[in-house]
Amino acid sequence: MGDILAMAKEVLKIEADAIRSVSCRVGDAFIRAVNLMMDCSGRVVVVGMGKSGIIGKKIAATLSSTGTPAFFLHPAEAIHGDLGMVTKGDVALLLSNSGQTRELLELIPFFKRFDVRIILFTGNLESPLARESDVVIDIGVEREACPLGLAPTASTTVMLAMGDALASVLLQEKGFKAEDFAIYHPGGRLGRRLLLRVSDLMHKGRELPLVIKGTTLKDVILEMTAKGLGAAVVVDDSGKILGIFTDGDLRRLVEKNTDGVMSVVIDEVMNPSPKVITGDRLAVEALRMMENFEITVLPVVDGEMPIGMVHFHDILKAG
């Protein structure tokens, strides 16, 4: 057991040391790569073979989701027709630790012909690919974490980390925000949190429980029951919001007095200072308001006019 844990720790140490070593060598070449991608009028074409290709798919996905359009191009498929995806204005990001990958070298003439600028991640700065590239970023490692020194381990870890560094810097340079990130992730939790608005969830029209001032409590309860939101918005004759009456208000009222309560006019028992929200606010903001004020519904207003109501359960159901 001790040998197993010792080996695991050694692998992690080698890979961590490799990243630290490469981080000390990041310099002007990285800046030139960022500038090339910032000026790119097309997309970033990420190309790698074998394990580098697997890393390339992740780098392309990270770039795309952080505001830099990118796609992965398999070099073997590229020379059999997929080069049609590459256009003038694109930038190629080649991944090859050895700098001698034959499948990548075969693509160089095509990239040159279409004036596609080339960025290379490699551990061999004197390699054929390095000589053909516009920008060469050093990802060389002293040794692989593999006990045999053969399987790409530390080198692919560094390659992945350098891709993350590139994507993260581009994200910052482009002023990419969390809201932008959410646009590319509409199905995820972050997307829902940053994109879903109150207007997307609110009950409106005939679903909105609405009563006019002077309505008896009995009729208010009928309206609340019919709409099923546990509250009713009270408005004046012109439709402007005056207050709100909730299930909680009803319980407290009944606890205090049961005699003739049904004939009470709503103006006398409503909450004249309701918490409200506008339809353009994020649903997560409505949720925070409900939690802060310990309420379950919020009237949605446009100025002084109620246009809907959002319920705590609506937000939870939306995820």
Side-chain angles (χ1 to χ4, degrees), residues 190-210:
L190 177 63
R192 291 192 296 274
R193 184 167 67 84
L194 293 177
L195 295 178
L196 198 63
R197 300 194 178 275
V198 170
S199 58
D200 298 323
L201 299 176
M202 70 181 187
H203 299 265
K204 56 186 178 181
R206 294 184 177 181
E207 296 180 358
L208 176 60
L210 207 63

Side-chain angles (χ1 to χ4, degrees), residues 75-135:
E77 299 294 337
I79 59 175
H80 291 284
D82 282 1
L83 277 173
M85 295 187 289
V86 182
T87 61
K88 288 187 177 181
D90 289 344
V91 169
L93 173 59
L94 307 187
L95 311 177
S96 173
N97 188 46
S98 69
Q100 304 179 70
T101 308
R102 176 179 56 81
E103 293 84 354
L104 269 63
L105 284 167
E106 291 177 356
L107 300 180
I108 296 298
F110 176 87
F111 290 147
K112 298 286 188 182
R113 187 178 306 122
F114 280 85
D115 197 28
V116 173
R117 306 295 294 276
I118 300 171
I119 300 168
L120 174 68
F121 284 4
T122 186
N124 185 354
L125 302 183
E126 304 300 325
S127 63
L129 278 174
R131 290 193 293 270
E132 297 290 343
S133 299
D134 296 290
V135 178

Side-chain angles (χ1 to χ4, degrees), residues 9-24:
K9 291 178 181 180
E10 179 64 13
V11 169
L12 294 173
K13 182 180 183 303
I14 291 172
E15 299 204 1
D17 288 344
I19 291 177
R20 275 192 288 268
S21 174
V22 170
S23 70
C24 295

Side-chain angles (χ1 to χ4, degrees), residues 267-297:
D267 313 39
E268 302 173 5
V269 292
M270 70 178 183
N271 175 1
S273 302
K275 304 301 179 185
V276 299
I277 195 166
T278 55
D280 61 342
R281 298 281 290 278
L282 293 173
V284 70
E285 295 180 75
L287 181 61
R288 291 196 192 104
M289 283 184 66
M290 292 177 186
E291 291 173 339
N292 290 339
F293 295 108
E294 298 182 343
I295 54 179
T296 58
V297 292

Side-chain angles (χ1 to χ4, degrees), residues 148-287:
L148 301 177
L150 300 175
T153 44
S155 58
T156 48
T157 297
V158 169
M159 190 179 287
L160 179 62
M162 190 64 76
D164 287 342
L166 200 55
S168 297
V169 170
L170 286 166
L171 177 154
Q172 181 171 300
E173 291 296 304
K174 292 183 176 185
F176 196 78
K177 299 181 175 61
E179 290 79 5
D180 302 313
F181 186 86
I183 290 173
Y184 299 119
H185 300 75
R189 184 177 182 184
L190 177 63
R192 291 192 296 274
R193 184 167 67 84
L194 293 177
L195 295 178
L196 198 63
R197 300 194 178 275
V198 170
S199 58
D200 298 323
L201 299 176
M202 70 181 187
H203 299 265
K204 56 186 178 181
R206 294 184 177 181
E207 296 180 358
L208 176 60
L210 207 63
V211 297
I212 300 175
K213 67 176 182 176
T215 303
T216 63
L217 185 56
K218 178 181 178 181
D219 290 333
V220 173
I221 293 173
L222 291 175
E223 175 71 0
M224 290 167 60
T225 302
K227 304 301 171 62
L229 294 178
V233 177
V234 184
V235 297
D236 64 15
D237 294 330
S238 64
K240 294 181 180 179
I241 187 168
L242 294 177
I244 189 171
F245 188 78
T246 68
D247 283 341
D249 295 327
L250 177 60
R251 286 194 300 272
R252 287 185 287 273
L253 181 62
V254 171
E255 287 173 0
K256 292 179 181 178
N257 181 17
T258 58
D259 296 332
V261 70
M262 292 301 170
S263 60
V264 171
V265 175
I266 193 61
D267 313 39
E268 302 173 5
V269 292
M270 70 178 183
N271 175 1
S273 302
K275 304 301 179 185
V276 299
I277 195 166
T278 55
D280 61 342
R281 298 281 290 278
L282 293 173
V284 70
E285 295 180 75
L287 181 61

